[in-house]
Amino acid sequence: MNCNNYIPLLSAHLDGANSEIEERRLQEHLRTCKHCRELLAQMERADDALKDSAAAPPPDLTEKIMAQVRAEPKKKRRYFFPAAAALATAAMLTLVFSGKIPVLDRENAAPPVSTELVDTVQTDDEQTPSSPTQTVYGASDTEIASEPTETVKPTETAETTESTTPPSESPKESEPSSEPTEPPTEVETEGTTMDTTVGTTVEPPQTSEPYRPTEPTEPTEPTEPNEGSSSLPTFAVTPGNAEPLSVPYFYEDGTIRTEAPMLILWDADPSELEPLRGQEPIEFSEEDAGIRTPSQGKKDETLFEKLLSAMPLKKKPVGSLLPVSSLPSLHVYSLPYETLSELFESCLGSYELAVYYPDTLNEADNCLILLVSTLSASSKS
Amino acid sequence: MDRIDEKQILKKAAAGSSAAFEQLVLRYQTPVYNLCLRMMGNPEDAADMAQETFLKAWRSLESFHFESAFSTWLYRLASNACLDGLRAAKRRPSISLVTEDEDGDEHTLDLPDAAPSPEERLIAPEEQAQVAAAMQALAVEQRQILTLRVVNDLSYTEIAELLGVREGTVKSRLARAREQLRKKLLQTGNKTESKSSKDQQRKGGHSL
């Protein structure tokens, strides 16, 4: 047999890929053919030289790759939540809002808009009982608009929890919904429908088509809360064409315009949050934040006062405003999106969270506000 | 990182976690880079193709459904990126190295020597340089299959899946590639390193 016919067997021998018969045939041939023994040795040396010549990648390759990755439009996030049994302490806060959960879509980016605080009353009318640790603040007999793309189902991991509990009878905080505030005149108002959820369940969108934000709509009209229920504020956040890490601007009417992902630590200790190491909070005055004194009327209720209403820190008489001195600690950070994501994941199960997404995109990172609190369901009374 | 860990990391990355994706990059950057290096023939293009590979992986991670090993899927992306890169390089018009002066006399552009400098030759083992030169003398498909098997240690099954061929085809292609590499290595000589495609554009060098 021609030695060339043994070349495939020689090569496969190096990979241990010959069948038993083929290997036996090869070994028999090698016993008598010096040329093929030499061929095998040369192939072996070539293999070794090739392995040894494997190069290390440039030291900055990972950095360059990740810079490109981070510059990409953000993907629709699907959160993995810890199992209900693993939630040891604070209840997972579920604030459900109207509108769709946006899929990042650059092409439909809306021009910059300020945030608007829109009082709507919405809950998921399909909530099912699940984890006893789940709470919907202030929600009772209310309904939410449900859209196919915003429904969530548990993921397949063991880390997911079931859907939200049905709205509970909560202490009445029946402040009438305020009128939606007018956006500042210098800012276009479009696409203010906001989409936020901090659900304990997440599911991929039910449609295979990427979600595209709806056409810009007027802010949702506030609805009268049902008797005995409280309104949950809905925050509309749309990023501007942002410098990353720009300082959020607090308007007089209590709305927030933020051009970068923002963290609001509500009565939570920043020193306990690892991702915040080295981060500096934003300096702002109480005036900037629109935190008003109790002497001012409820009509001028600011964003943070509305937050207070939505997330009661302590029992307060209906209709009263908390004095400034009793307000919880407030730390505001402007953070890169990745830090915020990291923070979100590390806070799961230990903090109460509310996440606010914009429903449109621009060139900057997807802007969101993350609200973190140490409140637990038991602190509500 | 075992298979189960990698699956969890992949899920997180597919969900948008760049931190999880970075773990994958750190794990696979060396074999991906080496595959690109052998296919493209120079470190600069290899780094570009490696970046492109990972960026493509990031963008299409949600389409990875664990039907094959992630590594197989990634190497396929890398191979395709390199093949596209090589095809694009071939399509670039070559620029003449010869110019004419005012008198109509032809002169050849004086290009910097792209051969390894004396310092580089002293630093780089001679054998490594010979292997690199020998590999560059092979067809790109042979460079590809040799790197996948010998350097990246993929099995015949994985290579077959990656290339979309039968295992018997992998076996015979590998044999031919090894035979060619063996022959090239036996030839001695000073082969210069192949210029990066960018250098060739800038300097008006020949196309690949």
Side-chain angles (χ1 to χ4, degrees), chain A residues 114-117 179-185 187 189 218-219 251 253-255:
Chain A
S114 69
T115 67
E116 281 200 355
L117 185 61
E179 296 294 27
T181 54
E182 287 295 322
T185 53
V187 178
T189 306
E218 292 301 313
Y251 289 104
D253 58 8
T255 56

Side-chain angles (χ1 to χ4, degrees), chain A residues 272-336:
Chain A
E272 292 178 1
L273 296 168
E274 173 69 33
L276 290 184
R277 300 255 167 98
Q279 301 284 351
E280 290 297 321
I282 293 167
E283 298 286 335
F284 62 92
S285 66
E286 285 184 353
E287 189 181 8
D288 289 339
I291 298 174
R292 299 181 192 277
T293 62
S295 61
Q296 295 183 341
K298 202 168 301 184
K299 273 197 171 178
D300 296 330
E301 197 176 44
T302 66
L303 169 67
F304 290 103
E305 286 163 353
K306 288 181 194 258
L307 283 174
L308 278 176
S309 304
M311 299 175 63
L313 301 173
K314 56 187 74 174
K315 187 172 183 178
K316 68 178 177 72
V318 171
S320 72
L321 295 174
L322 284 178
V324 172
S325 58
S326 67
L327 287 174
S329 65
L330 195 69
H331 304 273
V332 180
Y333 295 81
S334 184
L335 297 174

Side-chain angles (χ1 to χ4, degrees), chain A residues 66-143:
Chain A
M66 293 313 299
Q68 286 183 303
V69 162
R70 289 184 187 115
E72 289 277 295
K74 291 297 179 290
K75 301 184 182 198
K76 179 182 193 304
R77 282 199 64 91
R78 291 179 290 167
Y79 291 103
F80 296 89
F81 288 79
L87 291 176
T89 53
M92 286 300 299
L93 173 69
T94 303
L95 295 177
V96 186
F97 300 88
S98 64
K100 294 183 170 66
I101 298 174
V103 171
L104 304 185
D105 180 3
R106 274 185 185 233
E107 294 170 3
N108 291 321
V113 185
S114 69
T115 67
E116 281 200 355
L117 185 61
V118 178
D119 282 336
T120 60
V121 178
Q122 313 201 303
T123 58
D124 189 341
D125 61 2
E126 291 182 356
Q127 291 174 353
T128 55
S130 58
S131 164
T133 62
Q134 298 189 10
T135 304
V136 176
Y137 276 108
S140 47
D141 305 318
T142 52
E143 295 181 351

